[in-house]
Amino acid sequence: MKQAIYPGSFDPITNGHIDILKRARQIFDRVVVAVAVNPDKQPLFSYEKRVRLIQELMQDDPGIEVLYYSGLLVNLVDQTGIKTIIRGLRALTDFEYEFQLAMTNRKLNDKIDTVFLMTDDTYSYLSSTVVKQLARFNGDISQFVPPLIERAIKEEFDE
Ligand code: ADP
């Protein structure tokens, strides 16, 4: 069985992430979406909430599992035995950072391979940050995130 880990903040998951996930599922039998618990970032959604939202969105696909991890990705690789990492690429600007990340993970565990998938160009400018900024000022985010996420963001900002 071909398996891969798709790690990220997913705060919140966007149509861009979902596009990458669907593409990954055409290549891998099982994809583990790994929500990062990052103590340096002040997230909009708790990691538990991010996991729940992604689980609900992906419930029809038994090939997708969602969990959270804290600390280093290499530790998750050790725990799960899954050595393939998926990352999405939007534009050339993503490359520098992703290259650093992939090489660092490789240095920590030389069995790790990072597979980069390119998003549909519709989503090439889309990021969680842009979605949050738009939502904060009541902008229309319906074309960037699924309805479930749109509702969750509205609820979060209303609180
Ligand atoms: P991180 O904080 O680890 O960068 P993100 O949730 O921002 O977490 O992104 C996770 C992965 O998804 C990264 O590889 C990122 O490049 C990719 N990604 C994010 N948005 C998009 C998008 N619109 N299209 C394709 N890939 C994306």
Side-chain angles (χ1 to χ4, degrees):
M1 187 156 86
K2 282 187 286 183
Q3 306 185 79
I5 298 174
Y6 181 28
S9 306
F10 304 105
D11 184 43
I13 190 166
T14 68
N15 290 341
H17 291 123
I18 293 168
D19 179 61
I20 295 294
L21 197 45
K22 293 208 168 126
R23 288 171 194 281
R25 275 285 289 123
Q26 285 172 4
I27 306 170
F28 298 94
D29 305 305
R30 180 165 170 259
V31 176
V32 175
V33 180
V35 173
V37 180
N38 186 342
D40 297 335
K41 283 189 189 167
Q42 181 64 14
L44 176 64
F45 294 113
S46 68
Y47 60 84
E48 294 99 330
K49 180 89 191 240
R50 282 177 267 155
V51 168
R52 275 202 305 276
L53 288 170
I54 303 171
Q55 275 169 340
E56 197 172 331
L57 283 174
M58 299 300 154
Q59 60 189 356
D60 292 337
D61 186 346
I64 294 177
E65 191 188 324
V66 192
L67 47 75
Y68 65 84
Y69 75 103
S70 55
L72 295 176
L73 188 58
V74 280
N75 296 339
L76 185 66
V77 168
D78 286 343
Q79 278 164 31
T80 58
I82 304 173
K83 298 179 192 70
T84 308
I85 309 292
I86 292 161
R87 295 287 287 178
L89 281 183
R90 280 161 291 196
L92 209 55
T93 44
D94 277 341
F95 181 77
E96 189 84 32
Y97 172 68
E98 293 294 341
F99 179 79
Q100 271 183 1
L101 220 71
M103 284 304 156
T104 308
N105 284 326
R106 169 73 63 73
K107 283 272 178 285
L108 297 173
N109 179 342
D110 70 357
K111 299 271 185 326
I112 294 180
D113 272 305
T114 306
V115 173
F116 294 101
L117 296 177
M118 268 177 274
T119 183
D120 190 281
D121 62 4
T122 326
Y123 308 121
S124 59
Y125 55 88
L126 182 56
S127 70
S128 301
T129 307
V130 164
V131 167
K132 282 183 278 194
Q133 281 168 347
L134 267 175
R136 184 161 289 128
F137 299 109
N138 268 319
D140 180 8
I141 54 168
S142 59
Q143 48 182 319
F144 305 130
V145 295
L148 174 77
I149 303 296
E150 192 184 355
R151 282 196 301 277
I153 294 176
K154 284 210 174 105
E155 278 165 29
E156 202 69 32
F157 279 119
D158 286 347
E159 269 175 20

